[in-house]
């Protein structure tokens, strides 16, 4: 048996709709080549169907894993920055692992990789070598495996929301389908649905746009008003 290697990553940090999901996995060093044989790689390089197939295979192969879903109300009520919130929940996920890793590979969200890694190391209740790097999901297979678990879990959550709310798109502010859904919902209800992150500027912009449109309509006067 080799060293125990952990990988941790998130999915859904940027969307305005739905959860951010954090996934941590622990795999024996000897199991890493098996991850490669399965075709594990950065989740963004895989199709949704391929990620779904790999999800169960990864869970069978790893020694331990932890998934945390953080919904909009938790994200909105955080005390600090999004990076600090991510550090806090990365620590929570890693400390929840029953199999303690010797090395932890982290996909660093901070512009300063070392600072991100040190912040997480300071909160762990076990000792391990910390490797925090940008694009770690593309460099280290344990992080690639975690990225797949996180992405599939978020995708499943979004599909459940679609069953209730209809077409909501990907949930990202840049997605025209997502913006169309939010605008339509606001027009109908005068507010946004409970599945949104209210601290995101996207909502304020949509609200201002729609209210401005209403004001413009109110401000228009027909020719008959002058007759």
């Amino acid at each position: 048996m080799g060293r125990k290697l952990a990988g941790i990553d998130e999915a859904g940090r940027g969307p305005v709709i739905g959860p951010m999901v954090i996934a941590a996995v622990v795999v024996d060093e000897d199991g890493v080549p098996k991850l490669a044989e399965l075709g594990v790689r950065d989740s963004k390089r895989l199709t949704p169907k391929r990620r779904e197939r790999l999800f169960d295979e990864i869970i069978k192969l790893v020694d331990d894993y932890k998934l945390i879903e953080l919904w909009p109300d938790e994200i909105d009520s955080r005390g600090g920055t999004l990076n600090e919130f991510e550090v806090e929940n990365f620590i929570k996920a890693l400390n929840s692992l029953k199999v303690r890793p010797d090395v932890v590979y982290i996909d660093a969200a901070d512009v300063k990789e070392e600072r991100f890694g040190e912040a997480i190391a300071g909160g762990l209740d076990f000792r391990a070598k910390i490797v925090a790097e940008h694009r770690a999901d593309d460099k280290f297979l344990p992080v690639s495996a975690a990225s797949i678990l996180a992405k599939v879990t978020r995708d499943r959550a979004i599909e459940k929301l679609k069953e209730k709310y209809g077409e909501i798109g990907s949930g990202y502010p840049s997605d025209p389908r997502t913006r169309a859904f939010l605008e339509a919902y606001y027009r109908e209800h005068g507010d946004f649905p409970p599945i949104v992150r209210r601290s995101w500027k996207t909502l304020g912009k949509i609200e201002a746009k729609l209210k401005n449109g209403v004001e413009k309509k109110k401000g228009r006067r027909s020719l008959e008003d002058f007759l």
Side-chain angles (χ1 to χ4, degrees):
M1 296 288 283
R3 296 177 302 167
K4 299 296 182 184
L5 310 179
I8 187 163
D9 198 7
E10 54 74 26
R13 176 185 164 99
V16 66
I17 292 177
M20 175 166 76
V21 179
I22 291 169
V25 305
V26 180
V27 61
D28 192 88
E29 201 168 28
D30 297 337
V32 172
K34 294 176 184 175
L35 288 175
E37 287 171 19
L38 285 176
V40 168
R41 58 203 316 209
D42 174 10
S43 63
K44 294 184 287 295
R45 294 176 168 228
L46 300 167
T47 64
K49 284 184 179 179
R50 184 70 183 137
R51 288 195 297 262
E52 273 286 351
R53 285 199 296 270
L54 284 170
F55 186 92
D56 292 334
E57 295 296 327
I58 289 168
I59 287 175
K60 287 177 190 172
L61 181 60
V62 299
D63 296 329
D64 197 8
Y65 73 97
K66 177 68 177 180
L67 287 163
I68 297 177
E69 290 186 42
L70 300 160
W71 284 85
D73 57 341
E74 294 175 84
I75 296 170
D76 289 337
S77 62
R78 69 188 188 279
T81 66
L82 195 57
N83 275 359
E84 289 167 342
F85 182 71
E86 194 168 310
V87 164
E88 175 191 330
N89 284 284
F90 272 31
I91 290 168
K92 182 180 175 183
L94 290 166
N95 283 341
S96 298
L97 294 167
K98 293 174 183 175
V99 177
R100 297 306 201 190
D102 302 298
V103 183
V104 178
Y105 294 101
I106 302 167
D107 193 30
D110 197 323
V111 291
K112 294 185 177 179
E113 302 162 313
E114 192 174 338
R115 178 171 64 188
F116 194 76
E118 286 174 354
I120 291 171
L124 297 180
D125 56 16
F126 60 91
R127 293 177 64 85
K129 179 183 176 182
I130 304 294
V131 180
E133 294 187 16
H134 299 145
R135 295 179 56 79
D137 49 356
D138 208 22
K139 299 174 183 175
F140 308 108
L141 282 172
V143 184
S144 302
S147 78
I148 291 168
L149 297 192
K151 179 64 175 161
V152 170
T153 302
R154 174 171 161 84
D155 285 349
R156 289 174 178 175
I158 291 297
E159 287 306 310
K160 284 185 181 178
L161 293 179
K162 286 180 180 178
E163 289 173 13
K164 182 174 182 180
Y165 292 94
E167 182 54 73
I168 61 173
S170 63
Y172 280 84
S174 59
D175 187 339
R177 294 169 302 169
T178 296
R179 296 183 74 90
F181 162 73
L182 292 172
E183 288 184 16
Y185 192 96
Y186 190 90
R187 282 194 191 97
E188 185 178 347
H189 302 278
D191 197 3
F192 294 107
I195 58 172
V196 301
R197 303 178 190 179
R198 293 183 177 273
S199 53
W200 260 230
K201 291 179 181 177
T202 309
L203 300 182
K205 290 177 181 176
I206 290 174
E207 189 172 18
K209 172 191 168 184
L210 295 177
K211 283 185 175 178
N212 192 33
V214 169
E215 290 302 320
K216 280 183 179 177
K217 283 181 183 177
K218 283 183 182 176
R220 281 185 196 142
R221 301 177 72 183
S222 70
L223 181 60
E224 287 146 353
D225 293 330
F226 297 94
L227 297 176

